[in-house]
Amino acid sequence: MEYLAPTSIVEALRSLHQHRGSARVLAGGTSVLPALNDTSTALAGGDKQSGSAPVLIDIKRLAELRSVTVLADGALILGAAVTCQEALSHPAIQKSWQGLAEALAATGPAQIRSRATIGGKLCQAASTADAAAALMAIDACCRVVSVSGERLIPVSELILSPGRTCLRTDELLVSIELPAPRAGTADAYARVASRSSLGKTYAGVAVALTLKDDRIDSCRVALAAVTLVPASAERAASMLIGNRLEADVLARFRRQVAGACRGGTDSMQTADHKAHVASELAISAARTAWQRSVISRSGDSG
C-alpha cells in the first residue's frame, strides 16, 4: 500500500486523478482504517482488474478542509475534514441548526466524534447516517472538486445506495454548505438507538420548518435507518405546509412518514416496527422544531 500526504488541495486532486480507482481518502479514519484490516475488502486487494496496489491519500492536514466559515448572510461553510465534535460545538450551529447538532451528537461517543469528520460520515453512505438526514432537512449542499472542475451537489442527491455516493473516483468532497437560515426557521432531530448495534440509530427523523403567520410556510423531512439510505420524505413534509400542528394534520403527517419507511434488508416485522417508531419520532421532531421557531422569532423581535 502507498501512503500519500498532500500539502494542498491541488496536490490531493492530482493524486486522486493519477490513482483513480485504487485511491481511498483518509480524513478521520473511523471507517477507512477498519477497512484496511479487512483483507476481504476491495481496498485490501487494490484494483484487482488493473493489478494496482491501493493508495491512501491523507487529507486531514489540509487547512481549507479543516475550516468553518460563517458568511455575512449567516450561511455556513463546513470543511469536509471538520470533525463531528467541532461542528456540533460551533456557536453558529448551536444557534441556528440545533437539529444538526443533535444529529452530530448521535454519531457516537466523544472519542468517535472527535475523530470522525462530517465529510467522511457523508461519504460512508450508511443508512444510519444521522448527520446526512439532518443536512438533507436543512437543504445543505456538498462542494465537490476534481482536476477538471467543481460541482455543487445537494446532500439529498449525494448518497445513491449503501456505501456508494455519486462522487466520481477522482472527485474530492471539500465542503458542506449550509444555507442562511430564514427568519422563523428551526430544525430538530429525534432518534432511537438500537440496543444490539453498539448504539447505532434504529430510527431517526430530521425536521426543518419555517413559520410565517403562525403556520408552517415551508418544511423538509428526512429519515435515517428506516430506508435503504438516508432519504427525504417530501410527501410527509407537504402534510405540514400551510398548517399548524393540529391533531388531524399530525395524523396525516404520521401516516405519510410511516409510508415513506422502506427498511431495505430488515424483516417485515422489523420494518413495520421501525415505521411506527419513525412516525412517532417525526411528531416529536416537528413539535420541537415548531417550539424552537417560536422561540427564535421571539428573540429576534425582542
Side-chain angles (χ1 to χ4, degrees), residues 190-264:
R191 73 186 280 262
V192 169
S194 172
R195 294 181 179 180
S196 59
S197 299
L198 300 177
K200 289 184 179 180
T201 296
Y202 179 77
V205 181
V207 176
L209 54 81
T210 301
L211 294 186
K212 184 177 180 181
D213 299 328
D214 294 324
R215 292 183 181 273
I216 297 174
D217 184 58
S218 65
C219 179
R220 291 175 63 90
V221 178
L223 311 174
V226 294
T227 51
L228 201 59
V229 295
S232 298
E234 296 178 3
R235 291 185 65 180
S238 70
M239 295 296 103
L240 300 184
I241 295 174
N243 294 305
R244 299 185 178 93
L245 297 184
E246 298 170 338
D248 59 331
V249 172
L250 291 176
R252 294 194 297 270
F253 178 59
R254 179 187 284 111
R255 287 195 295 270
Q256 289 296 332
V257 169
C261 297
R262 297 174 296 276

Side-chain angles (χ1 to χ4, degrees), residues 3 37 51 61 69 93-95 104 120 177 179 202 211 215 221-222 238 248 284 297:
Y3 171 82
N37 295 322
R61 294 182 180 86
T69 304
I93 290 180
Q94 288 286 333
K95 177 183 178 181
L104 290 167
E177 301 185 2
Y202 179 77
L211 294 186
R215 292 183 181 273
V221 178
S238 70
D248 59 331
S284 175
R297 288 195 305 167

Side-chain angles (χ1 to χ4, degrees), residues 50-187:
S50 66
S52 61
V55 176
L56 196 62
I57 301 176
D58 190 343
I59 63 167
K60 64 178 175 287
R61 294 182 180 86
L62 299 183
E64 184 177 341
L65 305 188
R66 298 277 301 120
S67 64
V68 180
T69 304
V70 182
L71 303 183
D73 64 355
L76 191 67
I77 300 177
L78 292 170
V82 170
T83 69
C84 294
Q85 183 61 44
E86 291 167 339
L88 77 87
S89 301
H90 195 278
I93 290 180
Q94 288 286 333
K95 177 183 178 181
S96 299
W97 301 119
Q98 296 176 58
L100 175 58
E102 290 164 340
L104 290 167
T107 57
Q111 299 95 320
I112 296 295
R113 296 197 306 268
S114 64
R115 291 286 302 177
T117 64
I118 190 165
K121 282 296 182 184
L122 287 176
C123 291
Q124 189 179 2
S127 67
T128 55
D130 305 275
L135 288 166
M136 288 178 187
I138 64 176
D139 202 19
C141 290
C142 298
R143 187 165 73 92
V144 175
V145 299
S146 69
V147 294
S148 58
E150 69 174 67
R151 54 186 180 136
L152 202 60
I153 305 170
V155 173
S156 58
E157 299 176 11
L158 179 72
I159 301 173
L160 301 179
S161 59
R164 179 171 169 255
T165 70
C166 68
L167 269 62
R168 296 189 289 266
T169 55
D170 64 342
E171 286 185 317
L172 179 67
L173 171 60
V174 295
S175 63
I176 297 92
E177 301 185 2
L178 282 59
R182 294 169 55 194
T185 297
D187 67 328

